[in-house]
Amino acid sequence: MDTKLQLIRQAKQGDAQSFATLYQNIYHNLYRFALYTLGNPADAEDAVSDTVTDAWAGIGKLRQEESFESWMFQILHNKCRRKRKEYCHRPLEWTDALADSADESVLDENYHLRSLFGKLADQDRTIISLHVFGGYTSQEIARITGMKANTVRSRESRALKRLAAELKE
């Protein structure tokens, strides 16, 4: 039996350690998704924390065990969407906490890319984040976001073209 599926089944039966192991395996992707969606480290941590709390409370209702990760991302996506509505007129706060490197030239480049990323529409940021950080296909992203797969692909394509054009300038 697949170890991951076994952990999910144990978590569904109330085994907190199994749930913690599952969570540890996807924490970084959840956090990066929230961080790039919300643009604020504290809000990202809160969103991930709320997601984990809700997921643990609702793990028994998970119908398809093999969908655990996409289920978690769907919960996080909804949390992030609600949070963005709270401060829809507030710009994203890109801070040095978002930097992946201490190299000054890389920091400048990362800041520029993050600034451009922050200017994308919420849905476009979500799609790209799910694809890049979650590794999801357009079909899976469509299921998570409630969009059609063709819409996901076209929005992602247009958003990436906009980013590429802005980076060249």
Side-chain angles (χ1 to χ4, degrees), residues 70-83:
S70 62
W71 177 68
M72 290 286 288
F73 271 97
Q74 189 165 14
I75 295 170
L76 181 59
H77 166 68
N78 290 333
K79 298 274 180 207
C80 290
R81 192 177 66 220
R82 277 186 226 114
K83 189 66 170 173

Side-chain angles (χ1 to χ4, degrees), residues 92-103:
L92 293 175
E93 301 170 11
W94 298 110
T95 66
D96 288 339
L98 297 173
D100 296 326
S101 170
D103 181 347

Side-chain angles (χ1 to χ4, degrees), residues 4 20-32 48 52 68-73 76 133 136:
K4 184 177 168 184
T21 301
L22 291 164
Y23 165 66
Q24 288 171 348
N25 290 334
I26 63 170
Y27 168 77
H28 291 298
N29 289 334
L30 291 171
Y31 178 74
R32 286 189 297 186
V48 171
V52 171
F68 175 77
E69 286 186 34
S70 62
W71 177 68
M72 290 286 288
F73 271 97
L76 181 59
F133 304 126
Y136 291 101

